[in-house]
Amino acid sequence: MKLFEDKISSAASRVRIALALKGRDVERETIGILGADAINRKPEYLQVNPQGLVPALLTDEGVLLTQSLAIIEYLDERYREPPLLPGKLEDRAFARTVALAVAADIHPLLPPRVTAYLGSIDLSTEDIADWSRHWIRVGLTAVDELLARRQTGRYAAGDAPSLADICLFPQAVNAERIGLSLDQWPRIAALMARLREIPAFADNGPAPRT
Ligand SMILES: N[C@@H](CCC(=O)N[C@@H](CS)C(=O)NCC(=O)O)C(=O)O
């Protein structure tokens, strides 16, 4: 398998964490997504992913998969252990709830294509940072409340790390990086402390934008 990624990408970080939890080593190719180094919009990479986004995964059978959640579910079905979705039906739904609260409702407001557009309509660097902090704060406040209502185990959706933790971890790392203290979200802060003890998470978070 081959993973197309950029180390700064939190969506690619989700897939890296899933691969590490599954104990799978894959070939990797860096697809720069920032500034002058960006190659994600070049025709060669659009052949891989017409959306021009990372991650993408080339399977051993030569099939190209895109969208981090679809890739993670593929890996989970292909390599059964350890499962990345809980056994209980309602817990599985909750794992997907948390995953989508991050991947569908927070993250799409923040990536380079969005911040570059905001810059192009004359928002200052500080305005753009405020935008990002605002949407992360709104989103993680809701996720913390979801955890308050539904979290029963050691991790977000049970006693084993799941798709929920895989999506939440990179987003929370980036929240701290942009100046938001996790102390305002006690359940997320506690969860992050536990996840940081697991090498698959600690070693595969998003790298800082330099
Ligand atoms: N929903 C997609 C999101 C992918 C995505 O937005 N990736 C970002 C990096 S985290 C990217 O490639 N951004 C390039 C850009 O915004 O131009 C997924 O989960 O894979």
Side-chain angles (χ1 to χ4, degrees):
M1 286 187 289
K2 178 172 171 183
L3 178 65
F4 298 86
E5 61 166 351
D6 186 319
K7 290 278 185 234
I8 65 159
S9 159
S10 63
S13 162
R14 295 172 200 149
V15 174
R16 284 199 303 270
I17 294 168
L19 284 165
L21 287 169
K22 296 283 184 187
R24 294 277 147 189
D25 209 9
V26 297
E27 192 186 336
R28 285 150 202 255
E29 182 172 332
T30 298
I31 304 298
I33 59 171
L34 270 193
D37 293 335
I39 51 171
N40 56 309
R41 303 275 162 202
K42 297 218 181 284
E44 304 84 273
Y45 187 64
L46 293 177
Q47 293 295 321
V48 174
N49 182 357
Q51 284 190 284
L53 304 175
V54 292
L57 184 80
L58 180 65
T59 69
D60 289 339
E61 290 73 28
V63 179
L64 274 164
L65 305 178
T66 60
Q67 287 289 345
S68 61
L69 269 62
I71 295 170
I72 293 167
E73 293 221 20
Y74 165 86
L75 293 170
D76 200 33
E77 288 176 29
R78 174 140 196 179
Y79 307 106
R80 289 284 173 186
E81 296 299 327
L84 300 180
L85 285 166
K88 208 171 146 208
L89 186 59
E90 291 77 10
D91 291 347
R92 260 199 315 282
F94 184 61
R96 291 188 174 110
T97 297
V98 172
L100 287 166
V102 173
D105 295 334
I106 302 176
H107 177 268
L109 294 158
L110 311 167
R113 61 193 179 282
V114 172
T115 51
Y117 177 73
L118 294 175
S120 79
I121 55 169
D122 287 342
L123 263 69
S124 68
T125 307
E126 199 38 47
D127 285 340
I128 296 170
D130 280 345
W131 161 282
S132 298
R133 276 189 287 270
H134 172 76
W135 291 116
I136 296 173
R137 195 181 295 112
V138 167
L140 290 186
T141 299
V143 169
D144 202 66
E145 179 57 27
L146 282 168
L147 292 173
R149 294 182 193 185
R150 287 290 315 278
Q151 186 184 17
T152 50
R154 185 167 165 77
Y155 299 104
D159 280 322
S162 72
L163 183 67
D165 306 284
I166 288 172
C167 289
L168 190 50
F169 185 85
Q171 191 62 72
V173 168
N174 279 340
E176 282 188 306
R177 218 166 254 158
I178 202 166
L180 294 169
S181 166
L182 296 188
D183 293 346
Q184 62 195 299
W185 305 298
R187 289 142 206 107
I188 294 175
L191 191 53
M192 287 298 284
R194 286 179 212 128
L195 294 173
R196 284 192 162 113
E197 291 169 2
I198 303 173
F201 284 85
D203 298 343
N204 290 293
R209 289 187 191 192
T210 47

